[in-house]
Amino acid sequence: MTSTEQWDPDTYERFKAERDRPALDLYALLDPVPGGRAVDLGCGAGHLTARLAERLGAAQVTGIDSSAAMLDRAAAHASDVVSFEAGDLATWGDPADPVDVVSANASLHWVPDHADVLARWTSALAPGGQLAVQVPANSDHPSHRTAVEVASEPRFAEAFAAVGGPPPDPVAEHVLAPEDYAELLWDLGYEAPVVRLQVYGPVLPSTAAVVDWMEGTSLTRFAKVLDEDTYRALVDRYRERLVEVVGGRRPYYFAFKRILMVARRPN
Ligand SMILES: C[S@@+](CC[C@H](N)C(=O)[O-])C[C@H]1O[C@@H](n2cnc3c(N)ncnc32)[C@H](O)[C@@H]1O
């Protein structure tokens, strides 16, 4: 299982409303499954698992995550319908125990080999079952490019040498083009897959606030392997460089591309 112990629910939830919006748009594309079963892979702090359960009217929704810190936070959202367990979304999927909905919001991009992973998830969907996935597609945005650039500056490159170099940007490494996902879903046998590229524009107080946003997600890959002092120095340098690159804007319109996909297996 990928270790994701660097996840901090408080940091991640700093922009809760802005981060929730794509998930709620994704859930709106799903048909309810009264009495059905669903999984929320990479469920994080669990509040969206509860929203998914409401939207679906399902009898059982299981949130699965590999981070103990996130699962601790999620426990507050457990109910007769919603439960949480530890697991790896990269290997999840038992064809002998199919579910009606597989949902993964802002989590699939943390693992490689999406063709294989989506095939495994599909094998665990019942006939007529629905898949709903949302991934960021913004690795070309200055917020991501600047993080890659700063991590390769000599003083940080030296620190990263001990772990074989700076951890790569998972969005750049793993996320496919929207049309590739559409073809993949078609090849997996889904009927009329819907795949959308949407720009969300959270308005942040300033350019520097992008750093707080990124600390909750993308920069966790650096926090995971650096000591605290080096990580804080990297974050400071990242803030300085990002303001140079995009300007010190107040407020800052964070043009954030995301891919939303929903598809149904034939009955
Ligand atoms: C950006 S958060 C999204 C959380 C939640 N889905 C949401 O939208 O609020 C990504 C989540 O994916 C989880 N994650 C990353 N890799 C994972 C893996 N291989 N297996 C299970 N969960 C994973 C992380 O622990 C984290 O909680």
Side-chain angles (χ1 to χ4, degrees):
M1 189 188 297
T2 316
S3 165
T4 50
E5 283 318 302
Q6 76 281 20
W7 285 95
D8 175 3
D10 290 329
T11 311
Y12 184 70
E13 288 189 334
R14 245 183 255 163
F15 299 97
K16 195 157 177 266
E18 293 84 353
R19 290 198 204 275
D20 285 359
R21 208 183 126 203
L24 300 178
D25 288 352
L26 182 74
Y27 299 166
L29 298 172
L30 286 166
D31 291 326
V33 290
R37 292 176 68 211
V39 288
D40 180 15
L41 301 174
C43 62
H47 64 286
L48 287 171
T49 314
R51 295 295 293 268
L52 178 67
E54 272 169 36
R55 164 72 192 156
L56 296 175
Q60 191 191 327
V61 180
T62 308
I64 294 172
D65 205 284
S66 54
S67 160
M70 286 297 205
L71 287 169
D72 277 355
R73 180 64 57 92
H77 299 282
S79 67
D80 289 349
V81 172
V82 177
S83 62
F84 297 96
E85 59 188 56
D88 185 356
L89 62 85
T91 54
W92 179 89
D94 178 1
D97 186 23
V99 298
D100 302 295
V101 174
V102 172
S103 180
N105 184 68
S107 54
L108 175 62
H109 60 290
W110 287 101
V111 304
D113 305 324
H114 288 188
D116 292 346
V117 174
L118 289 172
R120 195 168 301 114
W121 293 0
T122 302
S123 74
L125 263 181
Q130 302 169 85
L131 175 77
V133 178
Q134 186 270 114
V135 283
N138 60 344
S139 60
D140 54 354
H141 189 273
S143 57
H144 279 244
R145 283 193 282 107
T146 303
V148 172
E149 178 199 309
V150 167
S152 67
E153 288 182 358
R155 59 181 158 158
F156 302 119
E158 222 169 84
F160 285 125
V163 291
D169 179 352
V171 178
E173 289 282 296
H174 304 149
V175 173
L176 307 178
E179 62 274 25
D180 292 341
Y181 283 117
E183 274 182 12
L184 180 56
L185 295 179
W186 174 260
D187 288 343
L188 287 171
Y190 288 96
E191 287 173 344
V194 172
V195 180
R196 258 183 207 176
L197 182 70
Q198 182 158 343
V199 180
Y200 287 88
V203 178
L204 306 185
S206 66
T207 309
V210 176
V211 180
D212 300 336
W213 178 291
M214 293 287 281
E215 273 210 82
T217 52
S218 200
L219 300 185
T220 56
R221 70 186 193 273
F222 301 141
K224 187 177 171 185
V225 296
L226 293 176
D227 65 63
E228 176 66 16
D229 288 350
T230 311
Y231 173 66
R232 293 307 338 158
L234 183 146
V235 172
D236 288 345
R237 173 63 186 139
Y238 172 61
R239 183 179 298 104
E240 180 184 62
R241 185 72 190 119
L242 191 66
V243 170
E244 280 169 11
V245 172
V246 300
R249 300 190 210 168
R250 282 180 184 274
Y252 180 72
Y253 178 85
F254 190 9
F256 196 132
K257 283 185 286 183
R258 294 179 180 272
I259 299 170
L260 281 68
M261 48 191 131
V262 173
R264 180 188 286 281
R265 286 194 77 184
N267 278 305

